[in-house]
């Protein structure tokens, strides 16, 4: 594989997600295998601007495939949004002799990479890393599978108390703009109702569903609420609303928060990260740039970054229907 690229930078950016370390490991080891130098860029675009670089060899990434978070740290960087910030980053990369980079992150991180490529003609490749699974061009982002398993495990535990005390629980999960975590984990954990940003069924429907559920003989219920749900009420307000209108229910709230972003990645996320890292490096060496590596129907595919970030992913209508049927 003859290529102009002799040194590749790798970094993580935006919110961390389980599987990022496995992807870093894969990029580093693929470079070592192909006799390309690899440089870790710390703290995302901020570290790029400041020249926070460290050469990584195959042994620098021992024992990280199983770890959540990111050994390269992550940051959201305001300065990189400016032309001057990106110029500083470019100067640092050139000074270090870096010929291309792999960015592991979400929509915001990819947008920065795309602009950088357009302005400087610098070769870039993206690997989708976010628990939200909200990137077009891939059926799975790194961390999503781990996050939904974390949520299911937590809800299984909450269910013990819900059923012992005949209670209704509102469980808030992450997802500011999209409901993939809520819908998938909700179906997997057997939730009574799932409230997501993509659809506002209204508070009336929630009350109706809870009434029906009581009448059908259910003594406890779990309602999964995505952070960005459209009812206009947060989980604590929902609790008050239901207590006011359906006093028969004893209601509790549980906000799962950042525990969903941490923890050891599942096998699925580790394998996916390993595959994506290899594909990212090999694609750069083949002269491809400004793409994101994704997975579709078990096959790895490349999507132009511009297409990957142009819209939010759609909610899975079939799974929504399954969820409705399951609450019968
Ligand atoms: O984008 C991933 C995500 O986990 C969202 O689901 C959540 O709304 C957000 O990050 C939280 O971000 P932060 O850690 O910056 O508060």
């Amino acid at each position: 594989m003859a290529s102009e690229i002799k040194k590749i930078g790798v970094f993580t950016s935006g919110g961390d997600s389980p599987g990022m370390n496995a992807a870093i490991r894969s990029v580093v080891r693929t470079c070592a295998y192909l006799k390309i130098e690899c440089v870790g860029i710390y703290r995302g675009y901020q570290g790029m601007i400041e020249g926070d670089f460290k050469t990584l060899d195959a042994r620098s990434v021992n024992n990280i495939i199983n770890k959540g978070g990111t050994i390269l740290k992550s940051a959201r960087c305001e300065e990189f949004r400016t032309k001057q910030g990106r110029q500083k980053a470019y100067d640092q990369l050139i000074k270090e002799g870096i010929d291309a980079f792999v960015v592991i992150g979400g929509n915001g991180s990819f947008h920065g990479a795309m602009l950088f490529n357009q302005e400087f003609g610098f070769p870039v490749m993206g690997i989708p890393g976010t628990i939200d699974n909200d990137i077009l061009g891939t059926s799975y982002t790194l961390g999503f599978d781990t996050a939904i398993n974390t949520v299911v495990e937590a809800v299984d535990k909450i269910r013990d108390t819900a059923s012992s005390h005949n209670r209704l629980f509102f469980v808030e999960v992450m997802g500011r703009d999209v409901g993939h975590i809520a819908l998938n984990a909700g179906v997997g954990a057997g939730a009574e109702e799932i409230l997501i940003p993509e659809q506002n069924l209204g508070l009336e429907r929630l009350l109706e569903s809870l009434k029906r559920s009581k009448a059908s003989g259910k003594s406890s219920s779990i309602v999964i609420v995505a952070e960005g749900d459209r009812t206009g009420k947060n989980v604590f307000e929902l609790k008050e609303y239901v207590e006011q209108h359906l006093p028969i229910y004893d209601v509790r709230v549980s906000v799962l928060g950042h525990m969903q972003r941490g923890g050891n990645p599942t096998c699925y996320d580790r394998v996916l990260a390993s595959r994506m890292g290899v594909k990212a490096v090999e694609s750069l060496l083949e002269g491809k740039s400004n793409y994101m590596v994704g997975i579709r129907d078990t096959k790895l595919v490349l999507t132009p970054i511009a297409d990957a970030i142009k819209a939010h992913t759609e909610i899975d209508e079939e799974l929504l229907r399954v969820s409705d049927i399951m609450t019968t």
Side-chain angles (χ1 to χ4, degrees):
M1 217 182 274
S3 164
E4 301 288 293
I5 294 174
K6 303 279 176 252
K7 205 181 211 186
I8 291 180
V10 59
F11 62 98
T12 47
S13 169
D16 67 325
S17 68
M20 281 185 161
N21 278 327
I24 295 167
R25 172 180 178 271
S26 173
V27 169
V28 171
R29 295 229 167 132
T30 307
C31 286
Y33 179 80
L34 296 170
K35 312 251 177 301
I36 300 291
E37 265 190 85
C38 190
V39 174
I41 301 169
Y42 285 78
R43 294 176 294 118
Y45 291 116
Q46 193 60 46
M48 193 185 286
I49 288 171
E50 294 169 20
D52 195 356
F53 302 141
K54 188 175 159 200
T55 299
L56 300 174
D57 62 21
R59 295 287 71 75
S60 337
V61 289
N62 286 350
N63 302 322
I64 66 165
I65 191 168
N66 55 326
K67 295 207 163 68
T70 157
I71 59 157
L72 293 178
K73 316 277 183 187
S74 194
R76 293 191 166 114
C77 175
E78 283 307 313
E79 200 179 350
F80 196 79
R81 291 177 193 271
T82 67
K83 180 80 205 282
Q84 294 93 312
R86 292 193 291 276
Q87 181 67 52
K88 278 194 212 164
Y90 179 72
D91 294 344
Q92 293 284 10
L93 292 174
I94 296 304
K95 198 164 118 202
E96 182 69 21
I98 297 173
D99 306 309
F101 69 61
V102 176
V103 49
I104 306 163
N107 277 309
S109 315
F110 288 166
H111 187 250
M114 186 186 72
L115 282 183
F116 196 74
N117 171 266
Q118 286 163 355
E119 284 169 2
F120 303 104
F122 195 88
V124 303
M125 194 60 60
I127 293 180
T130 162
I131 63 166
D132 291 338
N133 210 29
D134 60 346
I135 301 182
L136 289 174
T138 189
S139 309
Y140 285 91
T141 57
L142 296 181
F144 175 65
D145 185 65
T146 306
I148 55 179
N149 277 290
T150 301
V151 173
V152 164
E153 200 183 320
V155 175
D156 284 350
K157 288 177 178 158
I158 289 169
R159 183 181 288 286
D160 289 345
T161 299
S163 92
S164 301
H165 290 263
N166 291 346
R167 281 177 182 163
L168 161 64
F169 267 86
F170 283 105
V171 181
E172 188 193 274
V173 302
M174 279 189 168
R176 262 184 308 218
D177 306 309
V178 290
H180 304 299
I181 294 178
L183 180 58
N184 283 269
V187 170
E192 190 59 43
E193 274 291 333
I194 303 168
L195 308 182
I196 53 175
E198 290 85 347
Q199 112 184 138
N200 181 10
L201 297 174
L203 294 166
E204 274 312 305
R205 148 143 179 174
L206 176 64
L207 293 182
E208 278 315 309
S209 151
L210 292 173
K211 269 190 221 155
R212 254 200 330 273
S213 156
K214 264 278 186 244
S216 78
K218 289 190 191 172
S219 55
S220 63
S221 291
I222 307 276
V223 176
I224 303 283
V225 186
E227 302 172 277
D229 89 282
R230 298 269 159 78
T231 56
K233 295 191 186 297
N234 66 36
V235 266
F236 298 98
E237 292 163 347
L238 282 173
K239 167 186 178 345
E240 279 173 26
Y241 182 83
V242 170
E243 279 175 339
Q244 256 170 29
H245 292 82
L246 294 175
I248 187 172
Y249 272 108
D250 182 15
V251 192
R252 294 291 186 277
V253 169
S254 187
V255 176
L256 300 187
H258 285 79
M259 70 175 288
Q260 296 161 91
R261 285 242 296 261
N264 302 345
T266 56
C267 183
Y268 183 86
D269 275 329
R270 297 180 199 195
V271 172
L272 184 61
S274 304
R275 294 177 69 191
M276 285 180 163
V278 172
K279 181 79 174 172
V281 172
E282 288 184 346
S283 300
L284 281 171
L285 296 189
E286 283 162 13
K288 302 199 174 93
S289 172
N290 219 358
Y291 285 97
M292 180 198 77
V293 180
I295 184 157
R296 280 221 180 283
D297 302 328
T298 77
K299 296 268 177 288
L300 293 183
V301 289
L302 294 182
T303 300
I305 289 183
D307 293 341
I309 62 174
K310 75 176 169 214
H312 276 307
T313 41
E314 303 275 304
I315 201 74
D316 183 339
E317 295 291 335
E318 187 251 348
L319 193 52
L320 269 180
R321 211 172 77 78
V322 168
S323 141
D324 281 346
I325 294 171
M326 289 305 110
T327 59
T328 305

